[in-house]
Amino acid sequence: MIPAPVPRLAVIVVAAGSGTRLNGGAPKAFVGLDEHTILRHALRGVFAAPRAQVVVVVPAGFEGAALTDAREVAGDRLDLVSVVAGGDTRQSSVAAGLRALWADVDTVLVHDAARALTPPEVFERVIAALDDGADAVIPTVPVVDTMKRVDATGAIVAAVDRSELAAAQTPQGFRREILAEALTAADADHTDDAALVAAAGHPVITVAGDAASFKITTGPDLERARSLLATAPPPAAPAESMPRGPRVGIGTDVHAFGGAGTLWLAGLEWPGEDPLSGHSDGDAVAHAIVDALLAAAGLGDIGTHFGTDRPEFAGAHAGAFLAHTRNLLAEAGWRVGNVSVQVQANRPRFAGRRVESERVLSAALGGAPVSVSATTTDGLGFTGRTEGVAAFATALVVPA
Ligand code: CTP
Ligand code: MG
């Protein structure tokens, strides 16, 4: 295979802010939007845009977490990603990103991770303007509110003609040396790169931004992003960065007998049998399958997606776990090939309901074949003493 050329374009994703105004319990880029962080969503847009070196700038200590996010969305571009620690100001974080650029890079985009939902088309418009010869390009959107100039006391000093104004977004694109020189020459701190480059005397042109590219700054912004995600799925990754399969995964789970109610195992209710204890229904078979599928797709494990902080999965049965897992896989470009799971337990006796459980589990996975087998352990171990059940699953996933 011919190696892909070293890109001449780089995207610096600044994610090193603390998110004081959001106050989300973690640095802003690492606050969850759904089951994924703000950073993961921002990177999804970056990797859906044209191929580039990607430098993610994060608070010191968050490099590993950022790499995990990048790994999940970079597809075959992971070798283009580096993660570096940022500085106390956005401008110093941009400078840290610039220091990590490869020698061949001549064009740089700087993007706020806090703009988690920026569509790839905005990246494309900025890149196209740079390709057409611009030295500095920013996306903007019209200002819709009527503007006033106010003084320190809050009194209106003057009306401002809204038609002369535009709200600046990111990614902002520059010839590399222009941005680098403006940073070196800077004698003030600027909140965006266009201001820095303009202060250094360079003209900056604009292209159309996008309403979805708003910056998550406060709690209501976070809610807005969450509700947009709930109604519109994020853009699919481009074909060239799709993970290539097939891939296999393994998952195991154990639950002890205990608690009240009836037994739920392998997607079936077993009247008259002792229940298993757990945050959900204790269905070790379903949980082992979830782990095997997530592992196969490289999407973490059951704790990543179904932690005890998710009340909607308290008491949930296999169908809910498997359907959500299938959705997570689909979102990442995978479908289930097949699943094989073995139960180690003295009770219940699977022989009479094995095929029924296969049918139920398969239906929850959209029809993918599921094989269930069961065994005992000759009286040995906790399963042999009928203290609980163990399940072992393997799964195959293939690109959707
Ligand atoms: N940023 C950065 N390094 C900093 C400050 C900001 O990389 N020292 C990044 C943020 O992570 C964010 C973008 O610059 O993606 C825009 O900054 P802002 O929205 O102000 O984020 P925060 O500084 O994190 O938020 P706040 O100002 O509320 O603390
Ligand atoms: Mg800030």
Side-chain angles (χ1 to χ4, degrees):
M1 205 170 91
I2 305 161
V6 175
R8 310 191 54 151
L9 175 72
V11 183
I12 297 172
V13 181
V14 282
S18 54
T20 326
R21 287 168 287 179
L22 182 63
N23 195 17
K28 184 158 70 180
F30 296 90
V31 171
L33 265 187
D34 41 22
E35 61 267 36
H36 301 313
T37 61
I38 287 177
L39 178 62
R40 171 100 61 107
H41 282 280
L43 289 176
R44 205 192 290 273
V46 170
F47 288 110
R51 191 169 173 277
Q53 183 192 0
V54 175
V55 180
V56 189
V57 189
V58 296
F62 283 81
E63 293 89 343
L67 206 53
T68 302
D69 271 328
R71 191 172 289 129
E72 299 300 347
V73 289
D76 63 2
R77 298 192 197 173
L78 191 59
D79 56 348
L80 300 181
V81 178
S82 43
V83 179
V84 299
D88 290 340
T89 61
R90 185 183 182 283
Q91 196 162 303
S92 61
S93 294
V94 173
L98 267 180
R99 285 193 291 274
L101 295 188
W102 292 327
D104 285 354
V105 167
D106 57 18
T107 309
V108 183
L109 268 48
V110 182
H111 185 48
D112 291 336
R115 298 181 191 276
L117 304 183
T118 303
E121 295 76 38
V122 180
F123 286 83
E124 283 157 17
R125 284 197 283 272
V126 172
I127 294 166
L130 291 164
D131 285 346
D132 285 349
D135 288 336
V137 184
I138 69 168
T140 60
V141 288
V143 172
V144 288
D145 293 318
T146 296
M147 294 283 147
K148 308 286 182 206
R149 193 179 302 281
V150 294
D151 65 16
T153 70
I156 293 172
V157 180
V160 183
D161 182 0
R162 171 173 78 193
S163 65
E164 291 177 0
L165 299 176
Q169 299 185 328
T170 72
Q172 303 191 345
F174 308 92
R175 300 259 155 261
R176 175 183 182 160
E177 68 275 10
I178 286 180
L179 180 60
E181 282 164 20
L183 267 170
T184 310
D187 54 8
D189 194 53
H190 300 276
T191 54
D192 79 350
D193 313 291
L196 176 82
V197 164
H202 298 282
V204 179
I205 68 158
T206 66
V207 295
D210 192 297
S213 188
F214 66 94
K215 183 160 73 74
I216 299 172
T217 305
T218 60
D221 299 328
L222 187 69
E223 289 315 313
R224 182 174 160 207
R226 284 180 173 160
S227 63
L228 281 171
L229 274 177
T231 49
E240 68 163 309
S241 71
M242 275 290 183
R244 270 174 257 132
R247 292 176 40 146
V248 296
I250 183 169
T252 73
D253 195 29
V254 164
H255 279 284
F257 288 112
T262 49
L263 173 69
W264 281 86
L265 191 63
L268 302 180
E269 188 174 14
W270 301 76
E273 295 280 351
D274 288 341
L276 292 162
S277 60
H279 169 64
S280 63
D281 62 357
D283 189 335
V285 170
H287 301 171
I289 294 174
V290 169
D291 257 349
L293 287 167
L294 292 173
L299 293 176
D301 64 17
I302 195 163
T304 320
H305 303 282
F306 301 86
T308 46
D309 56 341
R310 299 286 300 263
E312 65 270 37
F313 291 109
H317 296 309
F321 276 82
L322 295 177
H324 185 58
T325 304
R326 188 173 155 231
N327 287 341
L328 291 169
L329 261 58
E331 193 187 309
W334 297 102
R335 71 181 167 78
V336 184
N338 77 300
V339 169
S340 172
V341 60
Q342 184 177 47
V343 196
Q344 275 185 8
N346 283 347
R347 302 210 56 83
R349 309 298 294 182
F350 261 83
R353 300 189 72 189
R354 206 177 51 76
V355 174
E356 186 187 354
S357 72
E358 288 180 346
R359 232 182 2 247
V360 167
L361 295 169
S362 165
L365 288 174
V370 177
S371 312
V372 176
S373 59
T375 186
T376 56
T377 53
D378 217 9
L380 297 174
F382 67 89
T383 56
R385 294 188 296 272
T386 322
E387 291 167 6
V389 307
F392 306 87
T394 57
L396 179 81
V397 297
V398 291

